[in-house]
């Protein structure tokens, strides 16, 4: 039996494969946008990686593995890998503006560093470049690839809108955000682009409809799993690892999956949690720690982790529902649990 | 000889043809984005036109006429017409944020009415919807249509970036913005989408390369002509018609074609103008009126109008370089002078 490749090696292999094309794509941007993009991607002025400032490159890896899984060469997915990384960067640029986030990966966000207008425009430029990149796909792959990307983009903006609107909804009562609404939002906001990545790999690798659909669905489930784990890390994550203060999502009163499931669980902890959150004040260290305890006591943490497991299981089932090349399939299966815990 | 159709009737016919499909497209948006889009398009809550609040619908007309000019039915261009109107609305939403503009067509801009974050996201949603609309083009038209749109989007963001960067460049000296740089910016910022409109009409109408290229180029020249005339209106336009204060572009110290050509003309008026602009203060009524006089005396107004005529002549030459259906060609030729004077 062949030795199993570890997830970090898989990610590194895909990153190395895609990196030159990503650099060339960014080089086509207006110099101003190339600079803002390099800053966002954690590159220095010469386009070299700054140590520790990059994302994991998950989306590009999913595109590459998607192509390999349908029996195509990794190279066939590079256009798609570049497109999804550009879209991911676009969405970080714009989301940080909408959410008012001032830091990302221990550095200033682009709108803080360059101004809101330039960050909006640089995001638009990345969006346009992603479409242009896929528009350059050879022959018959262009139309289905663009359709896949357009559907994901549509989901992405729907999910972001719902996430923003959740903020102004009450914690309890008939208008409270339900866990199933949160799952749909997470599937659109996070799952759509991951599903687009694996799906684009398949399409560019020349796959038929059933393989493409299976790989797309697997990526979407992975996205929801990731979001559930990310929500757990946003409350109980180690500040050294997450780069955010402890209980950060509770301090900011974010409506995340553990909190929403805790509130709907009923029981004394849920009631105390609802009373605390309804006060409307900023939660200090003490209150945030108490709230975290209540979420855990009401079963919110366990529910989020169970949801992540359930979604990973579904992703696995999608991958096993069609005939895929064994080695790339093994790589995808190795990535699933790793990514759902480490994606950001 | 058939009676010549007047430009307003041509625009109205195209608007009526496209309106139902545009309404359906907007209806696919997240309700929040549909509301912001309806506001931007001058529609009421039920999606009906508010009197006097709409744009002229120039881009959709160019798409429809492009298809008719290559011998196709007007209906074949509807997808393209919808896509360019969505992109136009997207660019107004985002440009108003970048430029800090608070009113448009005598109403609050979307970011003033709904907030910056929601306006950014609604723009993104329109961008995504435009791509998705074209991705639904039948058969072999999808790939070339998306390529045309992607190229225009890339130009659009390049042009907007240059326009923003021009603001911080000096009025005179080696780093001053040259008229040819301004023309290139205008071709990208304004011409690209107009050229995309006529070109999409041709592509969706099944035209070959030479007709598509000719129609695309004609639209681009029309865009530069329009920008030159718009610059003249921004200084000398009637506030009743433009909805902006008299000499508005001079008060705001915008680097427009009449000013840039005046400054490069040399002579005493150009020197006085440069001295006035270099003071860096906000121009009051008196100073703005003096500046307008200097721009005119230095030949800036005449140069802008001559540039508009030159670009219209080129647009006409493009249209006459290929064999087009006579009636739609007559309509396009009737629109050119009308649009270059009235486009916004």
């Amino acid at each position: 039996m062949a030795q199993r490749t570890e997830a970090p090696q898989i990610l590194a292999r895909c990153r190395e494969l895609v990196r030159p094309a990503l650099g060339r794509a960014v080089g086509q941007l207006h110099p101003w946008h190339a600079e803002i993009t390099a800053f966002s991607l954690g590159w220095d002025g010469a386009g070299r990686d700054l140590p520790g400032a990059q994302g994991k490159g998950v989306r590009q890896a999913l595109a590459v593995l998607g192509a390999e899984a349908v029996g195509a060469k990794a190279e066939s997915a590079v256009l798609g890998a570049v497109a999804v990384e550009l879209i991911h960067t676009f969405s970080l640029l714009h989301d940080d503006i909408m959410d008012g986030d001032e830091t990302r990966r221990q550095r200033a966000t682009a709108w803080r560093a360059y101004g809101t207008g330039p960050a909006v425009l640089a995001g638009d430029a990345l969006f346009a470049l992603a479409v242009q990149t896929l528009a350059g796909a050879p022959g018959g792959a262009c139309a289905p690839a663009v359709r896949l990307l357009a559907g994901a983009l549509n989901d992405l903006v729907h999910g972001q809108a719902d996430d923003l609107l959740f903020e102004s909804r009450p914690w309890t009562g008939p208008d409270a955000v339900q866990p199933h609404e949160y799952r749909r939002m997470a599937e659109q906001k996070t799952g759509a682009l991951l599903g687009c990545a694996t799906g684009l790999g398949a399409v560019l690798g020349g796959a038929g409809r059933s393989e493409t659909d299976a790989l797309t669905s697997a990526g979407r489930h992975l996205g929801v799993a990731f979001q559930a784990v990310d929500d757990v890390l946003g409350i109980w994550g180690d500040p050294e690892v997450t780069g955010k203060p402890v209980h950060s999502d509770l301090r900011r009163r974010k409506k995340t999956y553990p909190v929403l499931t805790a509130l709907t669980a009923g029981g004394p902890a849920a009631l105390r949690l609802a009373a605390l959150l309804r006060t409307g004040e900023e939660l200090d260290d003490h209150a945030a720690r108490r709230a975290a305890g209540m979420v855990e006591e009401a079963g919110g943490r366990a529910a989020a982790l169970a949801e992540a497991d359930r979604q990973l299981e579904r992703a696995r089932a999608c991958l096993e529902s069609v005939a895929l090349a064994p080695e790339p399939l093994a790589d995808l299966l190795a990535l699933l649990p790793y990514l759902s815990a480490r994606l950001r």
Side-chain angles (χ1 to χ4, degrees), chain A:
Chain A
M1 196 176 141
Q3 205 191 336
R4 187 161 156 178
T5 315
E6 300 284 341
Q9 282 84 60
I10 300 169
L11 292 173
R13 173 176 72 87
C14 297
R15 227 174 16 238
E16 274 165 42
L17 176 76
V18 177
R19 188 63 172 73
L22 188 58
R24 282 193 301 275
V26 172
Q28 288 175 44
L29 291 167
H30 188 290
W32 195 15
H33 301 153
E35 182 185 333
I36 297 175
T37 301
F39 177 86
S40 301
L41 287 167
W43 297 354
D44 69 11
R48 285 178 304 244
D49 294 344
L50 291 167
Q54 286 78 48
K56 300 244 173 305
V58 170
R59 291 155 191 84
Q60 59 193 334
L62 291 175
V64 170
L65 294 174
E68 291 182 327
V70 300
K73 279 196 198 312
E75 286 72 17
S76 60
V78 168
L79 282 183
V82 168
V84 291
E85 288 296 321
L86 295 174
I87 291 294
H88 179 54
T89 311
F90 142 79
S91 77
L92 297 182
L93 277 171
H94 282 193
D95 287 1
D96 283 342
I97 295 169
M98 292 170 220
D99 301 338
D101 284 336
E102 305 202 350
T103 57
R104 177 174 290 281
R105 294 186 200 127
Q106 274 90 336
R107 300 202 303 161
T109 48
W111 70 272
R112 286 289 298 163
Y114 292 93
T116 298
V120 170
L121 188 58
D124 294 344
L126 289 170
F127 196 143
L129 182 60
V131 177
Q132 200 169 26
T133 299
L134 278 196
C142 173
V146 168
R147 281 186 197 121
L148 209 52
L149 187 77
L153 290 167
N154 187 40
D155 278 357
L156 202 68
V157 293
H158 262 80
Q160 173 69 359
D162 281 336
D163 199 19
L164 292 175
L165 288 173
F166 287 172
E167 284 173 19
S168 52
R169 286 172 59 185
W171 290 100
T172 53
D175 292 333
V177 182
Q178 297 301 311
H180 72 87
E181 293 180 275
Y182 186 85
R183 269 197 303 272
R184 192 187 57 201
M185 180 282 290
E187 184 176 343
Q188 294 188 314
K189 184 173 169 170
T190 310
L193 191 58
L194 268 60
C196 178
T198 37
L200 277 179
V203 162
L204 295 170
R209 182 67 174 267
S210 59
E211 285 81 8
T212 303
D213 286 353
L215 280 159
T216 303
S217 297
R220 291 179 78 99
H221 288 302
L222 173 61
V224 184
F226 157 63
Q227 189 59 54
V229 173
D230 196 55
D231 287 354
V232 170
L233 294 176
I235 298 180
W236 295 279
D238 179 353
E240 292 276 314
V241 177
T242 63
K244 296 175 190 172
V246 66
H247 307 137
S248 119
D249 282 356
L250 281 174
R251 286 167 199 270
R252 301 171 62 199
R253 312 172 71 81
K254 276 190 75 175
K255 293 198 176 70
T256 62
Y257 197 76
V259 178
L260 297 173
T261 47
L263 288 171
T264 53
L271 291 173
R272 276 182 287 131
L273 178 64
L276 178 63
L277 290 168
R278 266 201 303 263
T279 58
E281 290 155 26
E282 171 103 4
L283 298 190
D284 60 16
D285 285 6
H286 177 66
R289 197 173 329 120
R290 279 179 56 223
M294 295 171 196
V295 174
E296 185 151 14
E297 193 183 329
R301 180 181 181 150
L305 293 173
E307 178 63 27
D309 285 343
R310 199 158 42 235
Q311 295 285 344
L312 280 188
E313 200 37 64
R314 289 192 190 158
R316 225 171 267 129
C318 288
L319 293 175
E320 288 165 352
S321 71
V322 289
L324 298 175
E327 274 193 46
L329 174 62
D331 283 355
L332 277 168
L333 292 172
L335 278 186
L336 290 183
Y338 178 82
L339 292 185
S340 70
R342 298 279 305 267
L343 197 57
R344 266 179 200 164

